[in-house]
């Protein structure tokens, strides 16, 4: 899994930062792009990354504030210029369908693929054999969600040398053993999956929160996460201002990561009052509470490795 921060500013873009968007690239063999929010200019940011819009299959919106949604019409329209006809699934809070369909209709935009829009509530919003995405309400000025992406555990590695010694022919039997099924050879020998397959590979968990004050659901969504992305619009000492605007400070983001037992915290959605030279101090604030903290910047790339 790989994560790209396409925009890390709060409210409005600056010369250093675009407004909010995050892209998650799934590992082989899927290699799909899942996007979280699409502020104005997101498709321009994609052009400066190694990511391809044609690979975008899922888009999750946290809330309907413009700095998280004004890039949607252009992004969706541009996807039609690629050869892919694969449907795009769009998830978001109530109102997302009206926002998108109205913009496309009155602009005369025509999509060359199926756009499937789901207005979500709390709970599991998507699940397949490999991934599950859960959503929960946060504490912001309007209805806002956080998302927890869970990769399902994968079977361990087959011990090829042992299989050869046991006389197991390569082919379908290998697949059955890898999937946890015992097999019987023609001579009656029973081969147990547990004897030839290594320990399962634990699935990764990535939590991406929308705008929020400190709240219980932020911690629940991030429980045991390999990576927590948490807004930190304000700095230490600005707690009252953060509360008034429905946001968090660096220390509050770090406290959420600590309480959740996350492995790593990346802060984003910084107020325009902060410049690049301010980032080390903001990181240091968070590290006093949660040492594995970092401040995101536009085009920041993070690889999330498997943990055995």
């Amino acid at each position: 899994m790989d994560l790209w921060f396409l925009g890390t500013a709060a409210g409005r873009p600056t010369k250093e930062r675009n407004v909010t968007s995050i892209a998650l690239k799934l590992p082989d063999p899927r290699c799909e792009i899942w996007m979280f929010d699409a502020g104005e200019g997101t498709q321009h940011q994609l052009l400066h990354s190694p990511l391809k819009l044609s690979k975008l299959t899922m888009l999750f919106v946290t809330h309907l504030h413009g700095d998280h949604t004004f890039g949607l019409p252009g992004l969706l329209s541009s996807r039609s210029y690629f050869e892919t006809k694969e449907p795009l699934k769009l998830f978001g809070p109530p109102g997302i369908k009206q926002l998108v369909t109205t913009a496309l209709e009155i602009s005369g935009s025509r999509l060359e693929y199926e756009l499937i829009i789901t207005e979500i509530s709390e709970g599991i919003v998507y699940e397949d054999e490999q991934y599950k995405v859960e959503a929960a309400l946060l504490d912001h000025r309007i209805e806002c969600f956080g998302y927890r992406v869970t990769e399902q555990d994968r079977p361990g590695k087959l011990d090829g040398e042992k299989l050869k010694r046991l006389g197991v022919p390569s082919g379908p039997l290998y697949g059955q053993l890898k999937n946890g099924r015992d097999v019987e050879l023609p001579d009656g020998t029973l081969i147990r999956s547990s004897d030839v397959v290594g320990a399962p590979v634990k699935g990764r968990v990535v939590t991406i929160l929308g705008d929020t004050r400190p709240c219980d659901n932020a911690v629940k969504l991030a429980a045991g996460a390999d990576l927590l992305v948490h807004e930190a619009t304000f700095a230490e000492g600005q707690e009252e201002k953060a509360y008034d605007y429905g946001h968090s400070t660096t220390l509050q983001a770090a406290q959420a990561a600590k309480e959740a037992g996350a492995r790593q915290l990346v802060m984003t959605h910084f107020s325009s009052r902060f410049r690049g030279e301010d980032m080390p101090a903001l990181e240091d604030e968070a590290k006093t509470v949660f040492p594995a903290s970092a401040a995101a910047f536009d085009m920041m790339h993070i690889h999330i490795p498997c943990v055995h």
Side-chain angles (χ1 to χ4, degrees):
M1 279 184 173
D2 292 272
L3 204 70
W4 272 267
F5 288 84
L6 302 176
T8 57
R12 60 184 175 88
T14 70
K15 290 183 178 180
E16 297 177 339
R17 298 176 183 272
N18 199 51
V19 284
T20 298
S21 184
I22 296 170
L24 176 67
K25 183 178 181 182
L26 304 185
D28 292 338
R30 288 176 66 156
C31 297
E32 297 174 21
I33 304 298
W34 290 5
M35 186 176 289
F36 296 80
D37 289 335
E40 181 183 0
T42 292
Q43 66 170 317
H44 294 272
Q45 295 291 88
L46 269 176
L47 295 174
H48 297 287
S49 79
L51 306 175
K52 295 182 179 180
L53 181 53
S54 60
K55 294 291 186 180
L56 178 65
T57 60
M58 308 265 276
L59 208 165
F60 300 88
V61 174
T62 61
H63 65 297
L64 301 184
H65 276 157
D67 59 322
H68 296 254
T69 60
F70 284 170
L72 284 171
L75 183 80
L76 296 174
S77 297
S78 292
R79 189 175 184 267
S80 287
Y81 287 89
F82 295 92
E83 292 183 358
T84 179
K85 301 300 179 184
E86 184 175 351
L88 175 64
K89 298 181 176 70
L90 171 60
F91 302 84
I96 187 67
K97 185 172 184 178
Q98 180 183 1
L99 186 155
V100 170
T101 56
T102 299
L104 294 176
E105 286 173 3
I106 65 176
S107 64
S109 301
R110 179 180 176 180
L111 303 185
E112 300 297 329
Y113 57 88
E114 182 183 8
L115 177 62
I116 304 169
I117 303 176
T118 301
E119 296 193 335
I120 67 171
S121 57
E122 291 188 294
I124 298 173
V125 298
Y126 176 80
E127 187 171 18
D128 60 29
E129 293 181 352
Q130 294 173 304
Y131 296 94
K132 177 174 66 176
V133 182
E134 301 166 89
L137 281 167
L138 302 174
D139 183 8
H140 192 42
R141 290 177 291 141
I142 64 172
E143 189 172 38
C144 183
F145 289 90
Y147 294 99
R148 177 184 175 92
V149 180
T150 302
E151 180 184 40
Q152 307 292 2
D153 292 349
R154 289 172 290 161
K157 186 177 180 180
L158 278 172
D159 187 335
E161 292 301 319
K162 189 171 186 178
L163 288 169
K164 289 180 181 178
R165 292 198 303 269
L166 293 171
V168 180
S170 60
L173 295 183
Y174 275 38
Q176 294 176 36
L177 288 164
K178 188 171 179 64
N179 289 325
R181 294 169 55 189
D182 299 339
V183 301
E184 185 175 335
L185 301 182
D187 64 2
T189 302
L190 179 65
I191 308 297
R192 299 188 183 278
S193 172
S194 58
D195 293 334
V196 294
V197 179
V201 179
K202 184 173 176 55
R204 291 159 282 193
V205 175
V206 178
T207 299
I208 299 174
L209 303 181
D211 296 359
T212 188
R213 301 179 181 98
C215 66
D216 290 342
N217 276 350
V219 176
K220 291 177 182 177
L221 285 171
D226 294 280
L227 176 64
L228 166 62
V229 179
H230 196 302
E231 70 125 289
T233 309
F234 295 99
E236 179 185 7
Q238 297 180 309
E239 286 76 16
E240 185 174 345
K241 184 181 289 290
Y243 182 86
D244 289 343
Y245 286 94
H247 292 298
S248 297
T249 67
T250 53
L251 291 186
Q252 289 169 338
Q255 186 61 38
K258 181 179 180 180
E259 291 180 17
R263 290 180 178 272
Q264 184 178 8
L265 166 68
V266 180
M267 300 175 292
T268 188
H269 200 267
F270 296 105
S271 167
S272 60
R273 74 188 64 204
F274 299 120
R275 299 290 185 264
E277 60 266 26
D278 300 315
M279 291 300 109
L282 295 179
E283 282 190 351
D284 288 343
E285 287 178 4
K287 287 178 179 179
T288 63
V289 174
F290 189 75
S293 296
F297 52 86
D298 284 22
M299 298 302 139
M300 181 180 185
H301 165 234
I302 296 179
H303 176 66
I304 307 159
C306 293
V307 178
H308 295 274

